[in-house]
Amino acid sequence: MLTLFKSWSLTRTAWLIMALSGLALEGTALYFQHGMGLHPCVMCIYERVALLGVIFGALIGAIYPASLLVRIAGIVVGAWGAIKGLLLALEHVDLQLNPAPWKQCEFRPDFPQTLPLDQWFPQIFQASGSCSDITWRFLGYTMPQWLVVVFAIYIVIWLFVALSQFKRGYSTRQRRLFKY
């Protein structure tokens, strides 16, 4: 199985599919916001940024997948985005399932002054909802609960891709007894 992940990590197509999956999720979030009229909270905005980390990691890997250093950089950025997204989604689920007056999220995102995404792209990163409100469910689960699943899947994929980098590749100079 690691051989399969290793061979996929050497192709640009696999990296672009990973990026497209993240873009599809970002597009879905924007549809929920602008198409369905749901108001994103600060945690939703942070989860979007973490998903951008997954996308950027995949795009880094797609630049030159034959290079081990580029693949490792893509894996590190993508895995960081997935892990950060999982932690944010778990915190968001806690805010929704255990609401309390002392457990509130911020009113506006706290981006660094050098990267004020909420000011540069207010249609995407402006928060206007409450973190403890449950405004959408699918199969009985809230959006942050689904994001826990999504980010956990991303973590597993990035883990397999990372572990596969230690797998030795097939050399054309080796003689194969059986061809398939």
Side-chain angles (χ1 to χ4, degrees):
M1 184 159 121
L2 289 179
T3 305
L4 180 65
F5 275 94
K6 174 75 177 245
S7 66
W8 283 348
S9 73
L10 294 172
T11 66
R12 185 170 281 124
T13 305
W15 291 96
L16 292 177
I17 288 172
M18 180 73 95
L20 284 175
S21 72
L23 284 173
L25 289 170
E26 288 284 357
T28 303
L30 291 174
Y31 171 73
F32 283 143
Q33 179 179 352
H34 297 291
M36 294 176 59
L38 300 178
H39 299 285
C41 66
V42 171
M43 295 299 290
C44 297
I45 299 300
Y46 291 157
E47 290 157 356
R48 285 183 190 179
V49 174
L51 191 56
L52 285 176
V54 172
I55 295 168
F56 285 138
L59 291 176
I60 289 170
I63 291 172
Y64 186 54
S67 168
L68 178 64
L69 289 176
V70 172
R71 287 194 316 266
I72 296 297
I75 291 167
V76 167
V77 171
W80 176 84
I83 292 168
K84 187 67 175 171
L86 178 66
L87 295 174
L88 288 166
L90 287 171
E91 183 180 347
H92 196 175
V93 167
D94 183 47
L95 288 171
Q96 284 187 338
L97 297 181
N98 303 310
W102 57 86
K103 286 179 17 180
Q104 298 289 325
C105 62
E106 303 164 1
F107 290 113
R108 40 175 289 193
D110 187 24
F111 291 118
Q113 289 181 352
T114 57
L115 193 67
L117 295 176
D118 57 333
Q119 295 171 10
W120 291 348
F121 306 105
Q123 295 296 327
I124 300 172
F125 298 109
Q126 192 93 41
S128 58
S130 173
C131 293
S132 59
D133 290 346
I134 298 175
T135 57
W136 181 86
R137 285 184 184 270
F138 180 68
L139 299 176
Y141 296 104
T142 65
M143 197 173 304
Q145 289 172 326
W146 280 109
L147 284 175
V148 168
V149 173
V150 166
F151 284 121
I153 290 170
Y154 275 130
I155 289 171
V156 169
I157 291 171
W158 287 117
L159 181 66
F160 277 125
V161 172
L163 290 175
S164 73
Q165 301 310 303
F166 296 105
K167 184 78 174 161
R168 292 180 95 174
Y170 170 70
S171 171
T172 56
R173 295 176 52 202
Q174 292 176 342
R175 187 172 150 220
R176 299 197 50 147
L177 185 58
F178 299 104
K179 292 187 180 186
Y180 38 88

